Amino acid sequence: MESVTILAIETSCDETAAAVVRNGREVLSNVIYSQIDLHTLYGGVVPEIASRKHIEKINRVMEQALKEADRELSDLDAVAVTYGPGLVGPLLVGVSAAKAVSFASGLPLIGVHHIEGHISANYIEHKDLEPPFVCLIASGGHSHLVVVRDYGKYEVLGRTRDDAAGEAFDKVARAIGLGYPGGPKIDKVAKEGNPDAIAFPRAKVGDSDYDFSFSGLKSAVLNYLNSCEMKGIPICRADVAASFQKAVVDVLTEHSMAAVERCGLRKFAIAGGVASNSALRQALEKACEEREIAFYRPTPLLCTDNAAMIGAAAYYEYVQGVRHGLDLNAVPGLKLGE
Ligand code: KG4
Ligand code: ZN
């Protein structure tokens, strides 16, 4: 197939993003307007504020993506957009923008699954990566272990039973006064702490080797903080951060390696905001090296929400003939594989 260039849009949470991607792997532009500063004031993402900000920014962000890529709409082959899962208001802004572009320009419209986007960030970073492989997706809203059988074909091995890994990072960060977003802040503070200072639990989910549960760990951290306060023992934030982070990293690493070994696949990738965590990257790199498994990870900027990853996923949808109509709607609870 000749060259395929796609304008991709991502607005599922608090990043207003647009990118132009060629043949799924070559990023011509990747514009991200982060609303983080705005939501920091409230200690988390406020959906209504996010929606309003997306509306304000989306046109400018799309225009800038086209300009940086030195492309006009008439040079493109399709427009792609995240239509779920995510926050309904924010998703609707991106979906409406993509539909407007599609209607006005006649370009075909492709709806993309947000998690498929995260997984596909690996195709941008690693030009040689092809399915099948095992992928751990850990973000603010999702923790999944999947086998990527083929482009667009996923088998979910495990998922979180309660909080997502990123959610646990955010909640613990808030409890120790680090503020929002918690993941990067814990990552940084943990570097000064002792990961073995406090024995937090490594939650097992009874009947599954692959499912995760992080709410027990979060409660254990909160209980520890409360009991220190009651006993008048000073809290070392760095030790709490490092010990909590180690507990998350241990569980994610153990489950991932169990999945890789049992699937008999020699390729393992990570994706999602938590995949930018330095301790997790180190632990997985070491675990893969010991087992002689090829380890793939996107650069941190492609781990957190962006539209380039949506453009990568959209390319494989495009070549498989996927097209959506102008009745495409936001689906906040969209499951992988639907
Ligand atoms: O993938 P993402 O940008 O958005 C979702 O789809 O949810 O992930 C955001 C999540 C947040 O919970 C954030 O705290 C976490 O990823 N995160 C991190 C790091 N950077 C972002 N968690 C741990 N360590 C990091 N360095
Ligand atoms: Zn995401």
Side-chain angles (χ1 to χ4, degrees):
M1 181 173 295
E2 77 279 19
S3 163
V4 175
T5 308
I6 296 178
L7 169 67
I9 298 164
E10 155 64 45
T11 62
S12 66
C13 189
D14 61 346
E15 261 92 30
T16 318
V20 178
V21 180
R22 229 179 120 240
N23 296 338
R25 306 220 180 205
E26 190 189 339
V27 179
L28 303 183
S29 65
N30 186 22
V31 178
I32 305 167
Y33 169 78
S34 171
Q35 306 179 358
I36 278 179
D37 291 350
L38 194 64
H39 298 290
T40 300
L41 296 171
Y42 306 95
V45 178
V46 184
E48 285 77 9
I49 295 178
S51 309
R52 238 177 289 158
K53 209 66 192 172
H54 284 310
I55 292 175
E56 237 175 76
K57 295 286 173 189
I58 187 67
N59 284 349
R60 280 271 254 343
V61 167
M62 285 192 297
E63 279 162 18
Q64 201 182 329
L66 288 169
K67 193 168 157 221
E68 286 181 18
D70 198 18
R71 294 290 192 280
E72 311 257 337
L73 283 179
S74 56
D75 301 324
L76 304 180
D77 299 284
V79 55
V81 63
T82 305
Y83 72 107
L87 301 167
V88 66
L91 283 168
L92 275 170
V93 178
V95 168
S96 307
K99 289 202 280 194
V101 170
S102 168
F103 181 67
S105 64
L107 289 172
L109 177 68
I110 301 170
V112 174
H113 192 292
H114 184 71
I115 297 183
E116 247 189 279
H118 275 301
I119 296 168
S120 305
N122 282 287
Y123 300 136
I124 298 171
E125 192 77 34
H126 304 283
K127 311 292 182 208
D128 57 329
L129 175 63
E130 306 242 19
F133 58 91
V134 176
C135 188
L136 167 73
I137 305 105
S139 73
H142 320 276
S143 300
H144 278 75
L145 251 176
V146 308
V147 183
V148 182
R149 288 275 171 224
D150 201 348
Y151 295 107
K153 274 182 92 182
Y154 307 95
E155 188 186 315
V156 179
L157 297 175
R159 53 164 56 89
T160 182
R161 297 275 177 103
D162 37 58
D163 293 353
E167 211 175 334
F169 269 95
D170 294 334
K171 286 177 179 165
V172 167
R174 191 180 310 160
I176 57 174
L178 291 175
Y180 177 84
K185 292 188 172 155
I186 288 195
D187 196 344
K188 192 160 169 232
V189 171
K191 291 195 165 74
E192 262 105 65
N194 172 8
D196 301 314
I198 311 149
F200 290 131
R202 272 68 173 155
K204 278 252 174 287
V205 180
D207 52 346
S208 165
D209 287 343
Y210 304 127
D211 278 359
F212 304 105
S213 165
F214 292 110
S215 81
L217 170 59
K218 176 196 67 192
S219 303
V221 176
L222 298 181
N223 288 342
Y224 171 82
L225 295 173
N226 278 338
S227 87
C228 285
E229 195 175 311
M230 273 161 52
K231 292 179 199 152
I233 302 169
I235 289 159
C236 174
R237 285 209 305 202
D239 283 352
V240 177
S243 302
F244 158 76
Q245 181 174 270
K246 175 102 190 307
V248 176
V249 167
D250 281 358
V251 170
L252 292 177
T253 306
E254 191 186 309
H255 289 208
S256 299
M257 291 304 111
V260 174
E261 288 190 333
R262 252 172 262 174
C263 289
L265 295 168
R266 312 303 300 164
K267 292 192 268 187
F268 173 68
I270 55 173
V274 180
S276 60
N277 182 270
S278 57
L280 180 64
R281 292 165 86 92
Q282 256 174 36
L284 289 171
E285 177 145 31
K286 183 162 171 276
C288 287
E289 215 174 275
E290 284 166 6
R291 293 166 178 79
E292 294 184 0
I293 292 160
F295 179 44
Y296 301 88
R297 68 281 200 210
T299 190
L301 185 73
L302 291 175
C303 286
T304 44
D305 288 350
N306 65 85
M309 68 185 196
I310 303 303
Y315 169 76
Y316 293 100
E317 304 276 333
Y318 181 90
V319 295
Q320 284 171 7
V322 174
R323 303 289 184 268
H324 286 92
L326 290 175
D327 58 348
L328 179 70
N329 204 354
V331 185
L334 189 65
K335 299 271 183 300
L336 200 62
E338 274 178 25

